[in-house]
Amino acid sequence: AQSVTQLGSHVSVSEGALVLLRCNYSSSVPPYLFWYVQYPNQGLQLLLKYTSAATLVKGINGFEAEFKKSETSFHLTKPSAHMSDAAEYFCAVSGSGAGSYQLTFGKGTKLSVIP
Amino acid sequence: DAGVIQSPRHEVTEMGQEVTLRCKPISGHDYLFWYRQTMMRGLELLIYFNNNVPIDDSGMPEDRFSAKMPNASFSTLKIQPSEPRDSAVYFCASSLSDQGGEQYFGPGTRLTVT
């Protein structure tokens, strides 16, 4: 079964600083990988998706993520944090075969941006 | 498209009452998922449908929970009887089979059982 580990349930950065949110997955076959963002009292919104077309994936709001097969990682980065980036971020991996449409989510990382 | 629509947005009920949560997926999507989110357990998949047929309900916590999808544009999640531990945010999401698994989430229903 797929699993996703997000390191750090809370991350704080200063406005303008680099954002790095870590995600590791366990799978024998490179799956689809996703990052979602959840703003307070809202549903999850897709930030970006890895589909094996390119290891560096660009998403919305200036975020990007790099797929590293050798490290089974899919970390999310943004060069300069903005106050509006404060939210909870979820890494997710799709299943394989018959379960390929299910997503397994990490426990989430809450990002705080300090002015 | 209006996105995934859920109703109600908030529900407060007393223990023992029946609760029905509703979801309208994005038109044309053939997968529908119900999730529950709590602080303690995070985001849990309860059940999902493909072309209105339940495929995997192994995440449904117990027999008090049931879900139906009578047609491609409507699904319900019912809890009967409700208990305080059912208090959570319930999300519905939908996806299209040829889009590589990305799911689109509704705004959620915040359920409080007193």
Side-chain angles (χ1 to χ4, degrees):
Chain A
Q2 303 283 359
S3 67
V4 176
T5 302
Q6 291 185 239
L7 290 176
S9 58
H10 286 86
V11 170
S12 291
V13 299
S14 298
E15 191 174 17
L18 171 72
V19 176
L20 171 60
L21 304 181
R22 299 178 188 274
C23 172
N24 288 89
Y25 68 95
S26 67
S27 172
S28 59
V29 176
Y32 292 122
L33 289 156
F34 307 83
W35 276 99
Y36 281 83
V37 60
Q38 185 179 28
Y39 299 102
N41 300 315
Q42 294 187 28
L44 279 70
Q45 177 184 355
L46 181 66
L47 262 183
L48 51 81
K49 179 176 82 170
Y50 166 75
T51 61
S52 78
T55 57
L56 185 63
V57 183
K58 294 188 182 300
I60 61 172
N61 301 338
F63 284 93
E64 62 183 34
E66 186 172 9
F67 173 73
K68 292 186 177 180
K69 182 179 177 180
S70 61
E71 300 176 7
T72 61
S73 68
F74 190 56
H75 302 331
L76 182 71
T77 60
K78 182 174 180 178
S80 176
H82 192 272
M83 296 298 294
S84 61
D85 295 327
E88 190 157 18
Y89 293 80
F90 293 89
C91 182
V93 58
S94 64
S96 58
S100 61
Y101 298 104
Q102 294 185 63
L103 296 184
T104 300
F105 286 87
K107 293 192 178 299
T109 298
K110 188 165 287 187
L111 176 67
S112 299
V113 182
I114 304 165
Chain B
D1 200 311
V4 176
I5 299 172
Q6 291 187 248
S7 64
R9 290 295 310 276
H10 301 273
E11 177 80 37
V12 180
T13 191
E14 293 183 348
M15 183 173 64
Q17 297 297 307
E18 178 180 293
V19 174
T20 300
L21 311 181
R22 297 172 176 80
C23 174
K24 176 178 169 55
I26 293 173
S27 177
H29 281 193
D30 53 353
Y31 280 84
L32 184 138
F33 305 82
W34 282 101
Y35 291 89
R36 177 172 67 176
Q37 186 179 41
T38 61
M39 290 289 290
M40 292 297 293
R41 300 174 68 92
L43 198 62
E44 304 173 275
L45 176 64
L46 301 177
I47 185 172
Y48 76 96
F49 296 82
N50 176 221
N51 291 323
N52 313 336
V53 176
I55 302 301
D56 185 351
D57 66 354
S58 60
M60 296 286 261
E62 48 197 278
D63 292 344
R64 297 185 297 107
F65 286 69
S66 62
K68 294 181 180 179
M69 193 165 185
N71 57 61
S73 58
F74 184 66
S75 178
T76 59
L77 178 67
K78 186 175 292 187
I79 307 173
Q80 166 64 18
S82 58
E83 296 183 3
R85 60 192 168 122
D86 301 330
S87 297
V89 182
Y90 291 81
F91 289 104
C92 176
S94 69
S95 70
L96 190 56
S97 55
D98 63 353
Q99 281 189 338
E102 60 189 83
Q103 296 177 15
Y104 295 84
F105 282 74
T109 295
R110 183 174 295 275
L111 174 64
T112 303
V113 184
T114 60

